Amino acid sequence: MRALMGLLGLLGLAGEVLAEGCVIHSQDDRIEVRICQQNRNIPAELFRSGFCQPQLKDQQVEVTFVETCPSGAFGVCRNAQVSNMPYRQDIHYYGVASDARYLQPACEQTSQGTWSAERATGQQP
């Protein structure tokens, strides 16, 4: 859960460049996290070089750039605002659906986003 919260913290720094996203997969020996950030209005270079390049201590991180986020997310935080910045993004969450109990309040209260539960299709990014 600490890795997930750390990743959420980094996303708080991070939103419209059309059709640009990045799938971030991080893991350590205890937890695995997969998300996709779909850019809404972050300048393209800043999105690629900053928001999609999280530095997580003791975590293996793999980033893949995509045109749009893959299906199969259990939830999406739409129009999430980056704290203290005018930038917005959609954050797609994959993996453990029960994490929604932490992610939904963070989406709605911290990021002023709109949470939507998605139907899992079995696909993983």
Side-chain angles (χ1 to χ4, degrees):
M1 184 50 51
R2 184 172 18 143
L4 180 61
M5 296 311 285
L7 191 53
L8 287 173
L10 286 173
L11 294 175
L13 301 174
E16 164 167 66
V17 172
L18 296 176
E20 181 176 28
C22 61
V23 176
I24 300 172
H25 176 216
S26 70
Q27 67 183 61
D28 63 14
D29 54 339
R30 295 176 297 151
I31 192 166
E32 180 176 9
V33 175
R34 283 186 192 267
I35 66 163
C36 182
Q37 296 170 229
Q38 187 74 46
N39 192 358
R40 283 188 169 244
N41 70 349
I42 301 170
E45 183 55 36
L46 181 59
F47 182 73
R48 287 181 153 269
S49 67
F51 295 103
C52 289
Q53 300 298 326
Q55 302 297 313
L56 302 172
K57 184 176 171 57
D58 300 326
Q59 299 274 321
Q60 286 184 288
V61 178
E62 177 184 318
V63 177
T64 305
F65 290 93
V66 295
E67 188 173 316
T68 59
C69 289
S71 62
F74 65 80
V76 179
C77 182
R78 299 195 187 282
N79 206 30
Q81 183 173 7
V82 178
S83 58
N84 300 318
M85 299 178 122
Y87 303 134
R88 294 205 173 255
Q89 64 182 347
D90 296 334
I91 307 167
H92 299 244
Y93 296 95
Y94 307 85
V96 183
S98 63
D99 286 346
R101 67 179 179 243
Y102 305 108
L103 299 172
Q104 182 175 0
C107 169
E108 295 170 349
Q109 296 164 13
T110 305
S111 301
Q112 289 82 47
T114 302
W115 180 263
S116 65
E118 302 291 310
R119 190 181 318 194
T121 64
Q123 295 178 331
Q124 291 292 316

